[in-house]
Amino acid sequence: QVQLVESGGASVQAGGSLRLSCAASGHTFGWHSMGWFRQAPGKGREGVAAIYTGGGGTFYADSVKGRFTISRDNANKRLYLQMDNLQSEDTAMYYCAAVGVGWIPATWSSPAEYQYWGQGTQVTVS
């Protein structure tokens, strides 16, 4: 079991930066591929970025490539999302998610691939 708690959301002006953090509980964090998703009002949950376990690589939605960076600290059981040059269209609730231990998603951006979810942190860009 993995419990995930996001933090770092805030209201910022366009062009600004934020760093989201996701703290994980349990002893298996290093064996979970992880992702960040977002959901704007009236829209579906969208994959933003993912980072696979074991050096399996990182993945980004086209809309955030070059602006967002996903990273993880396995020793401290944390996942991060550095967001630069934020735009109004980035406004959403942001969620941290983990797949099952050792599982490699066939489609990194599919919410159905992820077993564990945090409660979300709100990002508002004006």
Side-chain angles (χ1 to χ4, degrees):
Q1 288 283 344
V2 177
Q3 291 185 323
L4 305 171
V5 179
E6 303 94 336
S7 62
S11 294
V12 296
Q13 291 188 335
S17 297
L18 283 175
R19 188 193 197 200
L20 304 185
S21 179
C22 173
S25 66
H27 303 287
T28 61
F29 178 78
W31 289 290
H32 294 271
S33 292
M34 304 291 297
W36 285 100
F37 289 77
R38 66 186 181 186
Q39 188 165 16
K43 295 188 176 181
R45 196 161 292 192
E46 172 192 23
V48 175
I51 183 166
Y52 284 6
T53 187
T58 56
F59 306 87
Y60 295 93
D62 287 344
S63 59
V64 306
K65 278 181 183 176
R67 300 189 298 123
F68 291 11
T69 304
I70 189 171
S71 62
R72 64 190 299 163
D73 179 348
N74 288 341
N76 292 298
K77 296 184 287 186
R78 285 194 176 259
L79 179 73
Y80 299 102
L81 185 68
Q82 176 67 40
M83 306 187 295
D84 298 317
N85 191 23
L86 283 160
Q87 304 299 314
S88 58
E89 54 264 35
D90 297 317
T91 294
M93 185 71 78
Y94 282 72
Y95 298 91
C96 166
V99 302
V101 171
W103 180 255
I104 302 298
T107 305
W108 72 265
S109 58
S110 171
E113 296 268 14
Y114 294 78
Q115 185 174 356
Y116 305 100
W117 292 84
Q119 294 301 305
T121 186
Q122 179 68 38
V123 173
T124 302
V125 185
S126 60

